[in-house]
């Protein structure tokens, strides 16, 4: 007799002593052997079997020596014959077993075949089995069968059994039949009272309590169990695919393919995804689909439906959104004149394919799920029909994925273009929830709340690229001079090859433009010159190219010096713009990193802008936060932090000149405004502005201050190598002098100037301090002082 032990970690300590007994089957046989049943067809056979069993009383009374199973295999097989009818041996997946340790000793033929096909090294294991589970499970059986309690702890068992030949894993649900078993209490078994029962109901996970109420070996189990297995591979695959589709990841195609291999029982089945734009019937640049391999779209050229697919597939998939199954790709290729679709399938060694179209609701995208087999006829319209239960799962997952993709794009737009600062996001959430609730309650004239923060203190700063307009114009001028000079050289060579008066006339006009540019570039000159070149010079160049090889080379050299997109010489200007980009990026990254540190001191609103340089606004105050208490000490910390920050940004800018073609310098400015004001979110502009007529003065100062001159001079306030600090009240200057003195002691700032400013349009009475920056030759933007260290040192 073949026996199999299930290799799960089942504890040897159980609340029962296990005894195999066939009494219940014996009693059943005895019934048919009674004289009153002598006319029954089974009467004679029952009498003979009864007599054979009675020769081995231990088979009826019970035995614990499991080696007797093999020794008395023949009589045990005879006893179990009614439970394993010959006619069902190839249909049923069944085994007789010892419950609770899962020693199986009699199998149906089909079960035995499944085990044999699993491979030599296969060990039968229960899925997701916990060692203590069996102890508690036996206790609940005792409560049911011995104490008559209505308690349900049933939980399905599953076996995952491979087929070594096909490579497919089959999943089986186990149903246990305990009709041939019973429990007896020993003298060591405590009586279970109603209070005990209720206590157990409330403490399922307390294994110590269960062992207290049901001590080890305190009951005797007699009998055997019948284990029936049901193939639930299809159901399991559907459930697994549903679970996999809930998880968004780059390898979803591979994970779904593994499940569908079991479903279709094709060990090398593959799955791909592709996305088409229905409005144009062309490839859709859907980023989520591009993460997964497509056997249709994996080509080096753009494609549209017409000319790639045959008319039948275009109609079925793109017009009717119906499944297409090609059971033999080679036959399809002959019928479709080996079109582009066939070529792609052949390239990927596709023998048969099922293409399932899904169109998310209210979208122009059509998602195609491609199920691939390398062999013809393995995928066909018959096994395609098995997909009927999976299609709704795919559809739901694709629609969810589409929604997540839209949400992700919207989140990126919000973050990169219309972001709401985390400090104030709570206020927007409150307003949105209130608005949604009022709509739900069907109130009339519902309007979303205005977002206003009162009594906040502003901080403003900028690091402006000095002389950026002049540098840009000079770069444009040099590029124009280069381009006009090149054009003259081509026309000169053309005159040598072909004496035509038009060449000299054109040279004269180009030279005239060149002379004007060398004197100085005026507004509109660039557009005028480029228009002249395109209109009158380039048509002549087209003719010149055909005269001889030398002229052709000259014209091509001229064309090669032009930027392919702008069609102008774009060399000095490119160097300048690259330098601006380097400087802006370094300053922006640095201030963003430092701003993360500053938020840890106290949450505040922060926004940064890239111009020719960087400027930023900060606001701090109680109304901006929901669950913190504001104190002015946080504001003074930020004042000191801002001055330190501007010192460091000057060093960042100086260090960046090492990487620039144009050596650009910045002029730094801080505007002090110690009076609180209100800011309001402008719905039309999607940004915060100061609110109220009185506060508008602050915005006017911000916009005009960098153009201010020192009183009685033509000297601009903002200059390289110095930080300008603009203020209105003497107390503001006194406070900042303390911070300046501290940073002078750290050799970060030098000489201080106290200045008065010329009146600006609409603004008068402004004063300023201007302090020299001492640059650190060994400055590193990755090891600057933190705000915590700064405040600690200052205090």
């Amino acid at each position: 007799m073949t026996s199999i032990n299930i290799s799960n970690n089942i504890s040897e300590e159980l609340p029962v002593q296990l005894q195999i007994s066939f009494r219940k089957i014996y009693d059943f046989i005895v019934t048919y052997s009674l004289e009153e049943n002598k006319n029954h067809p089974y009467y004679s056979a029952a009498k003979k079997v009864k007599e054979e069993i009675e020769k081995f009383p231990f088979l009826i009374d019970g035995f614990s020596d499991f080696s007797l199973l093999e020794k008395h295999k023949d009589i045990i097989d005879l006893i179990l014959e009614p439970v394993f009818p010959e006619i069902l041996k190839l249909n049923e997946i069944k085994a007789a077993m010892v419950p609770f340790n899962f020693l199986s000793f009699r199998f149906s033929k089909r079960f035995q075949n499944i085990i044999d096909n699993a491979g030599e090294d296969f060990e039968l294991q229960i899925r997701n089995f916990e060692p203590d589970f069996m102890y508690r499970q036996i206790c609940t059986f005792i409560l049911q069968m011995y104490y008559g309690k209505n308690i349900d702890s049933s939980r399905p068992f599953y076996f995952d059994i491979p087929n070594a030949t096909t490579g497919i894993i089959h999943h089986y649900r186990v149903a246990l039949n305990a009709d041939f078993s019973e429990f007896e209490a020993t003298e060591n078994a405590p009586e279970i009272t109603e209070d005990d029962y209720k206590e157990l109901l409330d403490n399922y996970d307390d294994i110590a309590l269960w062992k207290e109420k049901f001590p080890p070996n305190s009951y005797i189990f007699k009998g055997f169990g019948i284990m029936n297995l049901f193939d639930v591979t299809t159901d399991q695959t559907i459930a697994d695919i549903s679970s996999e589709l809930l998880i968004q990841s780059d390898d979803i195609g591979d994970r779904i393919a593994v499940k569908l291999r079991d479903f279709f029982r094709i060990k090398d089945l593959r799955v791909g995804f592709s996305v088409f734009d229905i409005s144009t019937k062309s490839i859709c640049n859907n980023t989520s689909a591009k993460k997964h391999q497509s056997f249709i779209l994996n080509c080096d050229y753009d494609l549209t439906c017409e000319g790639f697919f045959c008319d039948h597939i275009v109609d079925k998939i793109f017009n009717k959104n119906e499944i297409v199954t090609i059971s033999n790709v080679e036959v399809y290729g002959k019928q479709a004149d080996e079109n582009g679709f066939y070529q792609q399938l052949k390239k990927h060694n596709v023998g048969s394919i099922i293409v399932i179209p899904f169109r998310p609701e209210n979208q122009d995208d059509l998602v195609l799920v491609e199920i691939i087999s390398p062999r013809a006829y393995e995928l066909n319209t018959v096994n395609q029909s098995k997909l009927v239960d999976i299609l709704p799962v795919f559809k739901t997952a694709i629609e969810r994925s589409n929604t997540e993709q839209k949400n992700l794009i919207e989140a990126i737009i919000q973050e990169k273009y219309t972001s709401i600062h985390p400090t104030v996001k709570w206020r927007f959430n409150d307003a949105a929830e209130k608005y949604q609730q009022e709509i739900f309650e069907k109130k009339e004239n519902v309007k979303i709340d205005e977002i206003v923060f009162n009594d906040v203190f502003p901080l403003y700063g900028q690091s402006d690229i000095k002389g950026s307009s002049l540098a840009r114009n000079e770069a444009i001028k040099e590029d124009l001079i280069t381009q006009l000079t090149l054009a003259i050289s081509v026309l000169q060579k053309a005159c040598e090859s072909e004496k035509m008066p038009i060449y000299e006339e054109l040279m004269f006009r180009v030279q005239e433009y060149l002379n004007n540019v060398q004197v100085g570039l005026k507004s509109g000159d660039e557009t005028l010159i480029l228009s002249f070149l395109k209109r009158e010079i380039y048509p002549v160049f087209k003719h010149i190219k055909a005269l001889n090889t030398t002229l052709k080379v000259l014209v091509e050299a001229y064309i090669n010096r032009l930027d392919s997109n702008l069609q102008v010489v774009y060399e000095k200007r490119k160097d300048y713009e690259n330098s601006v980009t380097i400087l802006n990026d370094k300053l922006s990254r640095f201030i963003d990193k430092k701003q993360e540190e500053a938020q840890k001191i106290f949450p505040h609103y922060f926004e940064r802008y890239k111009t020719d340089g960087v400027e930023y606004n900060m606001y701090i105050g109680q109304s901006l936060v929901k669950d913190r208490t504001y104190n002015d000490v946080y504001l003074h910390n930020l004042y000191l932090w801002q001055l330190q920050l501007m010192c460091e940004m000057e060093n960042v800018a100086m260090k960046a000149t090492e990487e620039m073609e144009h050596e650009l310098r910045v002029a730094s400015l801080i505007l002090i405004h110690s009076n609180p004001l209100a800011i309001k979110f402008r719905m039309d502009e999607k940004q915060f502005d100061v609110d109220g007529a009185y506060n508008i003065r602050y915005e006017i100062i911000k916009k005009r201050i960098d153009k201010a001159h020192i009183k009685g001079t033509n000297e601009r306030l903002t200059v390289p190598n110095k930080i300008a600090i603009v203020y209105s009240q003497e107390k503001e200057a006194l406070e900042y002098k303390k911070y300046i003195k501290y940073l002078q002691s750290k050799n970060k700032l030098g000489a201080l100037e106290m200045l008065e400013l010329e009146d600006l349009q609409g603004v008068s009475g402004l004063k300023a301090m201007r302090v020299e920056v001492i640059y650190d030759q060994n400055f590193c933007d990755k090891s600057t002082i933190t705000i915590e260290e700064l405040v600690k040192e200052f205090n």
Side-chain angles (χ1 to χ4, degrees), residues 689-706:
D689 280 329
V690 296
D691 191 38
Y694 175 77
N695 296 325
I696 293 300
R697 182 175 183 272
Y698 174 73
E699 284 294 327
I700 293 172
I701 295 173
K702 276 191 345 185
K703 287 179 171 60
R704 298 174 182 171
I705 192 62
D706 66 326

PDB file of all heavy atoms in Angstrom, residues 689-706:
ATOM      1  N   ASP A 689      -1.749  86.332  -4.088  1.00  0.00           N
ATOM      2  CA  ASP A 689      -1.327  87.729  -4.146  1.00  0.00           C
ATOM      3  C   ASP A 689      -1.713  88.383  -2.826  1.00  0.00           C
ATOM      4  O   ASP A 689      -2.609  87.898  -2.121  1.00  0.00           O
ATOM      5  CB  ASP A 689      -2.013  88.482  -5.292  1.00  0.00           C
ATOM      6  CG  ASP A 689      -1.347  88.197  -6.629  1.00  0.00           C
ATOM      7  OD1 ASP A 689      -0.125  87.965  -6.627  1.00  0.00           O
ATOM      8  OD2 ASP A 689      -2.042  88.186  -7.659  1.00  0.00           O
ATOM      9  N   VAL A 690      -1.061  89.507  -2.518  1.00  0.00           N
ATOM     10  CA  VAL A 690      -1.467  90.223  -1.312  1.00  0.00           C
ATOM     11  C   VAL A 690      -2.878  90.757  -1.497  1.00  0.00           C
ATOM     12  O   VAL A 690      -3.308  91.064  -2.614  1.00  0.00           O
ATOM     13  CB  VAL A 690      -0.496  91.377  -0.996  1.00  0.00           C
ATOM     14  CG1 VAL A 690       0.885  90.836  -0.682  1.00  0.00           C
ATOM     15  CG2 VAL A 690      -0.447  92.382  -2.128  1.00  0.00           C
ATOM     16  N   ASP A 691      -3.621  90.864  -0.412  1.00  0.00           N
ATOM     17  CA  ASP A 691      -5.029  91.246  -0.465  1.00  0.00           C
ATOM     18  C   ASP A 691      -5.225  92.578   0.263  1.00  0.00           C
ATOM     19  O   ASP A 691      -4.671  92.793   1.341  1.00  0.00           O
ATOM     20  CB  ASP A 691      -5.886  90.155   0.196  1.00  0.00           C
ATOM     21  CG  ASP A 691      -7.365  90.351  -0.045  1.00  0.00           C
ATOM     22  OD1 ASP A 691      -7.730  90.767  -1.157  1.00  0.00           O
ATOM     23  OD2 ASP A 691      -8.149  90.087   0.888  1.00  0.00           O
ATOM     24  N   GLY A 692      -6.013  93.450  -0.318  1.00  0.00           N
ATOM     25  CA  GLY A 692      -6.317  94.727   0.341  1.00  0.00           C
ATOM     26  C   GLY A 692      -5.507  95.871  -0.237  1.00  0.00           C
ATOM     27  O   GLY A 692      -4.331  95.718  -0.587  1.00  0.00           O
ATOM     28  N   ALA A 693      -6.126  97.062  -0.317  1.00  0.00           N
ATOM     29  CA  ALA A 693      -5.495  98.229  -0.940  1.00  0.00           C
ATOM     30  C   ALA A 693      -4.222  98.643  -0.198  1.00  0.00           C
ATOM     31  O   ALA A 693      -3.211  99.002  -0.818  1.00  0.00           O
ATOM     32  CB  ALA A 693      -6.491  99.389  -0.977  1.00  0.00           C
ATOM     33  N   TYR A 694      -4.257  98.597   1.148  1.00  0.00           N
ATOM     34  CA  TYR A 694      -3.087  99.018   1.917  1.00  0.00           C
ATOM     35  C   TYR A 694      -1.875  98.131   1.613  1.00  0.00           C
ATOM     36  O   TYR A 694      -0.740  98.607   1.547  1.00  0.00           O
ATOM     37  CB  TYR A 694      -3.404  98.991   3.409  1.00  0.00           C
ATOM     38  CG  TYR A 694      -2.215  99.286   4.287  1.00  0.00           C
ATOM     39  CD1 TYR A 694      -1.754 100.595   4.455  1.00  0.00           C
ATOM     40  CD2 TYR A 694      -1.529  98.261   4.939  1.00  0.00           C
ATOM     41  CE1 TYR A 694      -0.651 100.868   5.246  1.00  0.00           C
ATOM     42  CE2 TYR A 694      -0.425  98.513   5.727  1.00  0.00           C
ATOM     43  CZ  TYR A 694       0.010  99.836   5.876  1.00  0.00           C
ATOM     44  OH  TYR A 694       1.107 100.095   6.657  1.00  0.00           O
ATOM     45  N   ASN A 695      -2.116  96.843   1.419  1.00  0.00           N
ATOM     46  CA  ASN A 695      -1.025  95.897   1.208  1.00  0.00           C
ATOM     47  C   ASN A 695      -0.456  95.939  -0.206  1.00  0.00           C
ATOM     48  O   ASN A 695       0.605  95.368  -0.473  1.00  0.00           O
ATOM     49  CB  ASN A 695      -1.501  94.477   1.509  1.00  0.00           C
ATOM     50  CG  ASN A 695      -1.888  94.297   2.965  1.00  0.00           C
ATOM     51  OD1 ASN A 695      -1.269  94.893   3.849  1.00  0.00           O
ATOM     52  ND2 ASN A 695      -2.916  93.500   3.217  1.00  0.00           N
ATOM     53  N   ILE A 696      -1.172  96.611  -1.132  1.00  0.00           N
ATOM     54  CA  ILE A 696      -0.701  96.665  -2.511  1.00  0.00           C
ATOM     55  C   ILE A 696       0.665  97.351  -2.596  1.00  0.00           C
ATOM     56  O   ILE A 696       1.477  97.065  -3.469  1.00  0.00           O
ATOM     57  CB  ILE A 696      -1.739  97.398  -3.395  1.00  0.00           C
ATOM     58  CG1 ILE A 696      -3.020  96.565  -3.505  1.00  0.00           C
ATOM     59  CG2 ILE A 696      -1.178  97.667  -4.782  1.00  0.00           C
ATOM     60  CD1 ILE A 696      -2.824  95.203  -4.122  1.00  0.00           C
ATOM     61  N   ARG A 697       0.942  98.263  -1.676  1.00  0.00           N
ATOM     62  CA  ARG A 697       2.231  98.965  -1.671  1.00  0.00           C
ATOM     63  C   ARG A 697       3.396  97.976  -1.633  1.00  0.00           C
ATOM     64  O   ARG A 697       4.433  98.193  -2.274  1.00  0.00           O
ATOM     65  CB  ARG A 697       2.298  99.908  -0.468  1.00  0.00           C
ATOM     66  CG  ARG A 697       3.582 100.736  -0.379  1.00  0.00           C
ATOM     67  CD  ARG A 697       3.489 101.724   0.791  1.00  0.00           C
ATOM     68  NE  ARG A 697       4.666 102.578   0.852  1.00  0.00           N
ATOM     69  CZ  ARG A 697       5.785 102.272   1.512  1.00  0.00           C
ATOM     70  NH1 ARG A 697       5.857 101.113   2.168  1.00  0.00           N
ATOM     71  NH2 ARG A 697       6.817 103.112   1.528  1.00  0.00           N
ATOM     72  N   TYR A 698       3.212  96.900  -0.882  1.00  0.00           N
ATOM     73  CA  TYR A 698       4.268  95.883  -0.785  1.00  0.00           C
ATOM     74  C   TYR A 698       4.559  95.280  -2.164  1.00  0.00           C
ATOM     75  O   TYR A 698       5.722  95.094  -2.542  1.00  0.00           O
ATOM     76  CB  TYR A 698       3.840  94.802   0.210  1.00  0.00           C
ATOM     77  CG  TYR A 698       4.776  93.620   0.292  1.00  0.00           C
ATOM     78  CD1 TYR A 698       6.016  93.734   0.907  1.00  0.00           C
ATOM     79  CD2 TYR A 698       4.410  92.391  -0.249  1.00  0.00           C
ATOM     80  CE1 TYR A 698       6.876  92.649   0.987  1.00  0.00           C
ATOM     81  CE2 TYR A 698       5.261  91.301  -0.174  1.00  0.00           C
ATOM     82  CZ  TYR A 698       6.497  91.432   0.437  1.00  0.00           C
ATOM     83  OH  TYR A 698       7.352  90.357   0.508  1.00  0.00           O
ATOM     84  N   GLU A 699       3.503  94.962  -2.926  1.00  0.00           N
ATOM     85  CA  GLU A 699       3.690  94.373  -4.257  1.00  0.00           C
ATOM     86  C   GLU A 699       4.351  95.370  -5.199  1.00  0.00           C
ATOM     87  O   GLU A 699       5.182  94.997  -6.030  1.00  0.00           O
ATOM     88  CB  GLU A 699       2.339  93.926  -4.828  1.00  0.00           C
ATOM     89  CG  GLU A 699       1.798  92.639  -4.228  1.00  0.00           C
ATOM     90  CD  GLU A 699       2.660  91.434  -4.573  1.00  0.00           C
ATOM     91  OE1 GLU A 699       3.244  91.402  -5.669  1.00  0.00           O
ATOM     92  OE2 GLU A 699       2.768  90.526  -3.729  1.00  0.00           O
ATOM     93  N   ILE A 700       3.978  96.653  -5.085  1.00  0.00           N
ATOM     94  CA  ILE A 700       4.587  97.672  -5.948  1.00  0.00           C
ATOM     95  C   ILE A 700       6.090  97.764  -5.681  1.00  0.00           C
ATOM     96  O   ILE A 700       6.909  97.823  -6.607  1.00  0.00           O
ATOM     97  CB  ILE A 700       3.908  99.047  -5.717  1.00  0.00           C
ATOM     98  CG1 ILE A 700       2.456  98.994  -6.211  1.00  0.00           C
ATOM     99  CG2 ILE A 700       4.672 100.155  -6.432  1.00  0.00           C
ATOM    100  CD1 ILE A 700       1.649 100.232  -5.862  1.00  0.00           C
ATOM    101  N   ILE A 701       6.460  97.770  -4.391  1.00  0.00           N
ATOM    102  CA  ILE A 701       7.876  97.832  -4.033  1.00  0.00           C
ATOM    103  C   ILE A 701       8.623  96.629  -4.619  1.00  0.00           C
ATOM    104  O   ILE A 701       9.715  96.773  -5.190  1.00  0.00           O
ATOM    105  CB  ILE A 701       8.050  97.885  -2.496  1.00  0.00           C
ATOM    106  CG1 ILE A 701       7.454  99.174  -1.939  1.00  0.00           C
ATOM    107  CG2 ILE A 701       9.530  97.780  -2.129  1.00  0.00           C
ATOM    108  CD1 ILE A 701       7.433  99.238  -0.425  1.00  0.00           C
ATOM    109  N   LYS A 702       8.061  95.448  -4.493  1.00  0.00           N
ATOM    110  CA  LYS A 702       8.707  94.233  -5.000  1.00  0.00           C
ATOM    111  C   LYS A 702       9.017  94.350  -6.490  1.00  0.00           C
ATOM    112  O   LYS A 702      10.078  93.944  -6.952  1.00  0.00           O
ATOM    113  CB  LYS A 702       7.810  93.006  -4.771  1.00  0.00           C
ATOM    114  CG  LYS A 702       7.932  92.415  -3.403  1.00  0.00           C
ATOM    115  CD  LYS A 702       7.276  91.062  -3.220  1.00  0.00           C
ATOM    116  CE  LYS A 702       6.327  90.610  -4.251  1.00  0.00           C
ATOM    117  NZ  LYS A 702       5.671  89.340  -3.919  1.00  0.00           N
ATOM    118  N   LYS A 703       8.069  94.889  -7.253  1.00  0.00           N
ATOM    119  CA  LYS A 703       8.215  94.936  -8.708  1.00  0.00           C
ATOM    120  C   LYS A 703       9.219  95.996  -9.153  1.00  0.00           C
ATOM    121  O   LYS A 703       9.794  95.898 -10.244  1.00  0.00           O
ATOM    122  CB  LYS A 703       6.855  95.199  -9.362  1.00  0.00           C
ATOM    123  CG  LYS A 703       5.915  93.993  -9.325  1.00  0.00           C
ATOM    124  CD  LYS A 703       4.585  94.312  -9.966  1.00  0.00           C
ATOM    125  CE  LYS A 703       3.728  93.055 -10.137  1.00  0.00           C
ATOM    126  NZ  LYS A 703       3.435  92.387  -8.888  1.00  0.00           N
ATOM    127  N   ARG A 704       9.460  97.039  -8.333  1.00  0.00           N
ATOM    128  CA  ARG A 704      10.274  98.167  -8.785  1.00  0.00           C
ATOM    129  C   ARG A 704      11.616  98.302  -8.070  1.00  0.00           C
ATOM    130  O   ARG A 704      12.490  99.044  -8.524  1.00  0.00           O
ATOM    131  CB  ARG A 704       9.479  99.468  -8.611  1.00  0.00           C
ATOM    132  CG  ARG A 704       8.220  99.487  -9.452  1.00  0.00           C
ATOM    133  CD  ARG A 704       7.362 100.707  -9.187  1.00  0.00           C
ATOM    134  NE  ARG A 704       6.134 100.658  -9.999  1.00  0.00           N
ATOM    135  CZ  ARG A 704       5.106 101.489  -9.856  1.00  0.00           C
ATOM    136  NH1 ARG A 704       5.145 102.435  -8.914  1.00  0.00           N
ATOM    137  NH2 ARG A 704       4.049 101.387 -10.627  1.00  0.00           N
ATOM    138  N   ILE A 705      11.787  97.601  -6.980  1.00  0.00           N
ATOM    139  CA  ILE A 705      12.921  97.872  -6.113  1.00  0.00           C
ATOM    140  C   ILE A 705      14.273  97.546  -6.756  1.00  0.00           C
ATOM    141  O   ILE A 705      15.275  98.209  -6.488  1.00  0.00           O
ATOM    142  CB  ILE A 705      12.768  97.105  -4.767  1.00  0.00           C
ATOM    143  CG1 ILE A 705      13.796  97.607  -3.750  1.00  0.00           C
ATOM    144  CG2 ILE A 705      12.903  95.613  -4.978  1.00  0.00           C
ATOM    145  CD1 ILE A 705      13.631  99.057  -3.414  1.00  0.00           C
ATOM    146  N   ASP A 706      14.338  96.533  -7.624  1.00  0.00           N
ATOM    147  CA  ASP A 706      15.639  96.159  -8.185  1.00  0.00           C
ATOM    148  C   ASP A 706      16.146  97.185  -9.196  1.00  0.00           C
ATOM    149  O   ASP A 706      17.304  97.152  -9.614  1.00  0.00           O
ATOM    150  CB  ASP A 706      15.590  94.773  -8.819  1.00  0.00           C
ATOM    151  CG  ASP A 706      14.688  94.718 -10.037  1.00  0.00           C
ATOM    152  OD1 ASP A 706      13.674  95.439 -10.031  1.00  0.00           O
ATOM    153  OD2 ASP A 706      14.997  93.955 -10.976  1.00  0.00           O
TER     154      ASP A 706
END
